[in-house]
Amino acid sequence: MSTSGSSTGTGPLYIGVSTKMYLGYQASLRWLSEVRSIVDDRPGLGMESAKESPVRVFAIPSFPVLEPAARILAGSPVLLGAQNCAWGDGPLTGEVSPGMLAELGVSLVEIGHAERRRLFGEDDAVVARKVRAAVGHSLTPLLCIGEPDRLDAGAAAAFCVQQVRAATDGDPALLNRLVLAYEPVWAIGAQEPAPPHHVNAVLAQIRAALGPACPLIYGGSAGPGLLPRLPAADGLFLGRFAHDAANLGRVLDEALLLRQTDAPANSSSSRS
């Protein structure tokens, strides 16, 4: 999945969902079928123009669901993602290698999520190994970044830029292969997303530091009505609210409207 050349306001918007471990096996299959139907019902996301589509959709179910997920999504523009990967193969009991993910039809893999860092002890060195392993198997790392506590925009952006540089060892070739998901840890699972003015300010400063090499999306209690208020974002990484596929459809409609009209946001609303 090529990500180079994205720039806010002109490149494609990325809209995706991770199910984490909220859905069981059968519920995951039903959800994926609903996602497929929602995308099929929107001609602007159609397969004929998938490479030029103004909105790119991705779905990230649990590991055991990946094989049937690839069959459900076959022929659809929906990109299949995985929630994690190992840094290699061989004697890594209980892990899943990026090579196997590629065989299953996965095109992007979530790396460095705050839960992996906090609960499973994944530090910058582990994240960097996983990024290189994923890219080595032609997978797009969906690299999660975000400050652990509430900080001002400048400090938050500096923290995130450091995470990106650690994950890529400062290699611009690796940076070009990423999708970055800005997820302030304090907003994950919260009642409301981070304030739009904070998100816009942080994203703008990250972009100023890193350049336009890769898409930069927001995640953290994101829902309908948020995307038009984030002119600095290249999309949204959705969570539990989008486990109702109809809610995903609402966000996709907002994204299509933004790109079709080339009016990513009203500047006054972004200050609210």
Side-chain angles (χ1 to χ4, degrees), residues 10 29 46 60 101 168 170 174-175 186 206 208 213 233 240-242 264 269 272:
T10 58
L29 299 185
I60 308 183
L101 294 178
T168 60
L174 282 180
L175 183 62
W186 48 271
I206 293 173
R240 278 175 290 175
F241 109 95
S269 65
S272 61

Side-chain angles (χ1 to χ4, degrees), residues 13 20 92 96 156 158 172 182 189 207 210 217 233:
L13 290 169
K20 299 194 179 184
L92 297 170
V96 179
Y182 170 55
R207 179 68 70 214
L210 299 178
I217 68 178

Side-chain angles (χ1 to χ4, degrees), residues 56-74:
R56 297 181 185 174
V57 186
F58 61 90
I60 308 183
S62 299
F63 280 135
V65 185
L66 290 176
E67 192 275 334
R71 287 188 276 107
I72 291 170
L73 300 176

Side-chain angles (χ1 to χ4, degrees), residues 30-271:
R30 288 192 296 271
W31 178 78
L32 286 160
S33 295
E34 292 167 356
V35 169
R36 171 69 190 262
S37 295
I38 281 171
V39 170
D40 286 348
D41 287 343
R42 287 161 172 78
L45 304 172
M47 193 61 185
E48 291 181 356
S49 60
K51 290 184 180 179
E52 294 79 29
S53 175
V55 180
R56 297 181 185 174
V57 186
F58 61 90
I60 308 183
S62 299
F63 280 135
V65 185
L66 290 176
E67 192 275 334
R71 287 188 276 107
I72 291 170
L73 300 176
S76 162
V78 179
L79 302 168
L80 180 60
Q83 296 180 18
N84 187 30
C85 72
W87 59 72
D89 52 19
L92 297 170
T93 301
E95 294 293 298
V96 179
S97 73
M100 180 177 286
L101 294 178
E103 285 188 73
L104 287 168
V106 168
S107 59
L108 76 164
V109 58
E110 195 175 352
I111 296 175
H113 191 278
E115 292 159 0
R116 299 294 312 178
R117 291 176 180 269
R118 178 172 59 88
L119 299 174
F120 299 97
E122 294 188 1
D123 59 14
D124 286 344
V126 170
V127 170
R129 292 181 71 182
K130 290 186 175 187
V131 166
R132 286 196 176 275
V135 168
H137 288 275
S138 299
L139 300 175
T140 295
L142 176 64
L143 179 65
C144 299
I145 57 177
E147 71 276 21
D149 302 301
R150 288 179 179 265
L151 302 172
D152 64 58
F159 185 91
C160 293
V161 169
Q162 185 278 328
Q163 286 183 314
V164 175
R165 288 178 173 157
T168 60
D169 295 321
D171 185 346
L174 282 180
L175 183 62
N176 290 340
R177 300 292 300 274
L178 304 179
V179 173
L180 298 177
Y182 170 55
E183 296 190 294
V185 178
W186 48 271
I188 297 174
Q191 291 297 313
E192 298 289 340
H197 70 271
H198 173 82
V199 176
N200 285 319
V202 173
L203 295 183
Q205 292 183 56
I206 293 173
R207 179 68 70 214
L210 299 178
C214 57
L216 180 53
I217 68 178
Y218 170 77
S221 304
L226 180 60
L227 186 61
R229 303 172 70 192
L230 298 181
D234 294 314
L236 293 178
F237 190 18
L238 307 171
R240 278 175 290 175
F241 109 95
H243 298 168
D244 178 344
N247 286 330
L248 171 61
R250 294 168 61 191
V251 175
L252 291 177
D253 288 338
E254 292 176 349
L256 284 167
L257 181 61
L258 288 174
R259 277 301 178 257
Q260 287 168 357
T261 60
D262 281 329
N266 182 305
S267 61
S268 62
S269 65
S270 69
R271 293 192 297 268

